[in-house]
Amino acid sequence: GRKQKTKEKRERLNEAAHELFLQNGYKDTNISQIAQKAGMAVGSFYKYYASKEDIFLDAHIRENETMRKRLIEEIDWNGDAERVIEQLFTYSFNNVMSNKILAEWNKPFISDKLHEYYASETGRENNSFHRFLRETFTNRLKRKNLDIDTIGKILKVLDFIYYVDCHIANSDFEAYGETLQTFVLYFVKGILAE
């Protein structure tokens, strides 16, 4: 009935927004374009979303989840630590920079809202990639026969890296991406060293 119709309309808006954001980026997409593409009046848009930022956040979450799922499938997570980190950063860089939705992570108009969401408890818990990394790390650490306290401390560093990535933008720190990769690489190599 009515709930289904509401869900369908919201999904139509999501589809339209996703397509337009992917094509034009955040700044060059507006609510009237989204509503028009979804076959709705602009006023109807506001029944489902408070702002362009809110619908963009949904589009970003969806696009990020899709890209990260492909990333998880493409990397040999049991391989050599250096190779895993290199693949992870190369894949992320190539797929974020060429994607008009994901590239907004580093752009001033919307990045604060994205960073704020992913840094929140909800954002962290709903981030399947972060959960996957924690699980993968935990399993590799258990194979090294580390005690539960040590594993907990190491996972806390993983959370710290996630925190840093949600609070520092490329423009905040010179050579941020490269520096983060170096930090992660030597952290991981240190842990997995035989």
Side-chain angles (χ1 to χ4, degrees), residues 170-186:
N170 280 355
S171 59
D172 296 334
F173 190 89
E174 193 182 334
Y176 170 69
E178 191 184 328
T179 305
L180 183 65
Q181 184 173 347
T182 303
F183 177 71
V184 171
L185 172 64
Y186 287 98

Side-chain angles (χ1 to χ4, degrees), residues 27-184:
K27 198 174 87 169
D28 295 327
T29 300
N30 64 47
I31 289 171
S32 63
Q33 291 169 317
I34 295 168
Q36 187 180 3
K37 190 163 188 70
M40 290 182 207
V42 172
S44 298
F45 173 92
Y46 290 102
K47 289 179 186 169
Y48 304 96
Y49 287 98
S51 66
K52 179 171 97 165
E53 282 137 336
D54 287 348
I55 198 166
F56 182 80
L57 180 61
D58 278 1
H60 189 280
I61 291 166
R62 184 169 141 198
E63 191 68 16
N64 192 43
E65 283 290 311
T66 301
M67 188 267 284
R68 299 294 178 186
K69 279 188 177 105
R70 284 196 313 262
L71 168 74
I72 288 169
E73 290 165 11
E74 286 191 27
I75 291 180
D76 171 16
W77 294 94
N78 293 310
D80 167 62
E82 201 157 341
R83 182 97 182 96
V84 170
I85 301 302
E86 186 187 325
Q87 286 179 318
L88 171 64
F89 276 85
T90 302
Y91 186 94
S92 296
F93 180 80
N94 291 340
N95 286 280
V96 167
M97 292 310 163
S98 63
N99 181 307
K100 286 192 174 171
I101 292 177
L102 299 177
E104 297 292 344
W105 179 257
N106 296 309
K107 293 189 182 161
F109 304 103
I110 188 72
S111 66
D112 286 353
K113 179 150 182 117
L114 295 176
H115 289 225
E116 188 182 300
Y117 167 77
Y118 284 100
S120 73
E121 199 173 324
T122 307
R124 227 178 20 255
E125 284 171 6
N126 292 338
N127 188 327
S128 63
F129 183 62
H130 184 62
R131 287 196 315 269
F132 169 80
L133 285 179
R134 285 183 65 89
E135 249 170 62
T136 303
F137 250 77
T138 302
N139 293 335
R140 280 189 84 155
L141 294 170
K142 281 180 180 170
R143 288 200 300 262
K144 293 183 71 58
N145 294 322
L146 292 172
D147 63 278
I148 208 79
D149 279 354
T150 305
I151 291 175
K153 285 177 183 169
I154 292 169
L155 290 176
K156 204 70 188 149
V157 176
L158 194 64
D159 290 341
F160 172 72
I161 293 166
Y162 181 88
Y163 176 89
V164 166
D165 200 36
C166 288
H167 289 82
I168 295 181
N170 280 355
S171 59
D172 296 334
F173 190 89
E174 193 182 334
Y176 170 69
E178 191 184 328
T179 305
L180 183 65
Q181 184 173 347
T182 303
F183 177 71
V184 171

